[in-house]
């Protein structure tokens, strides 16, 4: 974008605070703009036929949410819910559409981002079909450590509920709880209340790799 276009976007955007557990939008809504994450994490999920949420992505600082449905002028395919307290920017649909019509380089960059999202979705599908539930749970904890880090005591910075973890890996909550308990017995994980610490990263990685 040139300076004038950037100014138009900046002038049109508004800031919103989303509390933990609150929804940015629900599956099937018609959005009148897109969200940019300033702080916090949002889970993007889809409701399956059996009524269970499948979390397909965790959107973090700097990521854009809702652009596909806005550009395609379709109802949202996913729901977005705050995992923790969030700050987001909201940019109206008209601002995005006008810039895309005037600036082909911006349009190309938007298409690149959407293509990247499709690649990530493909990877999720392959993971679900080729890895065991235990491997997917182990991979989920490694993902949380590598992408969100640890606190001063070594616990994962982003605390997901057992239900959310099960929704990420695509299994029943009860199965996820049993696997976490097994990982604790094997020394892979340690817990303190809801907090989880990876105690044996190599062990989890070996499990993911099928060793």
């Amino acid at each position: 974008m040139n300076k004038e276009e950037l100014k138009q976007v900046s002038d049109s955007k508004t800031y919103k605070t989303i509390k933990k557990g609150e929804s940015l939008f629900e599956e099937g809504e018609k959005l009148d703009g897109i969200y940019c994450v300033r702080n916090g994490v949002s889970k993007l999920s889809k409701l399956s036929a059996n009524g269970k949420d499948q979390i397909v992505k965790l959107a973090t600082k700097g990521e854009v949410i809702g652009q596909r449905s806005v550009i395609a002028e379709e109802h949202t395919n996913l729901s977005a819910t705050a995992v923790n307290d969030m700050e987001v920017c909201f940019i109206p649909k008209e601002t995005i559409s006008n810039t895309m019509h005037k600036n082909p380089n911006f349009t190309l960059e938007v298409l690149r981002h959407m293509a990247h999202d499709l690649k990530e979705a493909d990877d999720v599908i392959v993971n679900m079909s080729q890895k065991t539930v235990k491997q997917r749970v182990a991979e989920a904890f490694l993902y949380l450590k590598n992408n969100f880090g640890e606190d001063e005591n070594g616990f994962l910075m982003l605390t997901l509920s057992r239900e959310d973890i099960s929704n990420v890996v695509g299994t029943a909550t009860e199965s996820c709880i049993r696997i976490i308990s097994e990982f604790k017995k094997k020394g892979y994980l340690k817990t303190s209340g809801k907090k989880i610490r990876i105690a044996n990263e190599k062990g989890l990685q070996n499990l993911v790799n099928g060793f």
Side-chain angles (χ1 to χ4, degrees):
M1 289 186 184
N2 59 38
K3 287 182 179 180
E4 183 182 340
E5 289 167 336
L6 284 170
K7 186 177 186 305
Q8 287 174 352
V9 170
S10 182
D11 289 346
S12 71
K13 72 184 177 185
T14 54
Y15 295 106
K16 295 185 179 183
T17 299
I18 313 293
K19 294 294 184 183
K20 177 181 178 180
E22 288 184 353
S23 172
L24 281 81
F25 54 81
E26 298 285 351
E27 185 177 341
E29 277 189 33
K30 192 85 171 178
L31 297 183
D32 55 0
I34 65 172
Y35 295 91
C36 301
V37 181
R38 292 189 75 202
N39 281 301
V41 180
S42 172
K43 59 182 179 183
L44 303 179
S45 60
K46 185 165 182 63
L47 198 62
S48 65
N50 63 5
K52 183 176 175 62
D53 267 333
Q54 173 67 51
I55 296 175
V56 299
K57 183 176 181 179
L58 296 172
T60 60
K61 185 176 181 178
E63 295 196 65
V64 178
I65 305 173
Q67 74 272 32
R68 186 177 62 189
S69 59
V70 166
I71 292 167
E73 295 189 348
E74 296 176 346
H75 292 88
T76 55
N77 190 44
L78 303 171
S79 297
T81 308
V83 175
N84 48 24
D85 290 349
M86 297 182 68
E87 291 180 18
V88 298
C89 302
F90 179 79
I91 302 173
K93 175 182 176 180
E94 293 75 20
T95 303
I96 300 298
S97 298
N98 290 341
T99 307
M100 289 183 71
H101 285 304
K102 295 175 183 175
N103 187 335
N105 289 330
F106 175 72
T107 303
L108 182 60
E109 192 62 28
V110 170
L111 290 174
R112 283 192 182 123
H113 275 276
M114 291 174 72
H116 177 73
D117 286 345
L118 284 173
K119 178 180 177 295
E120 284 190 340
D122 289 343
D123 291 342
V124 169
I125 292 169
V126 171
N127 247 2
M128 295 285 283
S129 62
Q130 294 187 355
K131 291 184 178 176
T132 67
V133 176
K134 286 183 183 179
Q135 285 176 310
R136 298 201 301 268
V137 172
E139 195 169 47
F141 285 119
L142 293 172
Y143 172 85
L144 290 174
K145 177 182 178 181
N146 293 333
N147 286 273
F148 301 101
E150 300 168 314
D151 65 17
E152 63 275 8
N153 297 314
F155 290 101
L156 296 172
M157 286 289 287
L158 182 63
T159 302
L160 292 181
S161 69
R162 304 302 192 259
E163 183 180 6
D164 278 347
I165 294 170
S166 71
N167 290 344
V168 167
V169 302
T171 190
T173 305
E174 295 78 11
S175 298
C176 184
I177 291 170
R178 281 197 299 271
I179 291 169
I180 291 173
S181 180
E182 181 183 329
F183 284 0
K184 285 168 63 179
K185 288 177 183 175
K186 290 184 175 180
Y188 296 158
L189 302 174
K190 289 189 176 179
T191 60
S192 176
K194 292 183 178 180
K195 290 189 172 184
I196 294 177
R197 179 164 67 89
I198 295 177
N200 183 352
E201 184 172 351
K202 187 177 180 182
L204 287 180
Q205 191 62 62
N206 286 341
L207 177 59
V208 170
N209 294 336
F211 298 146

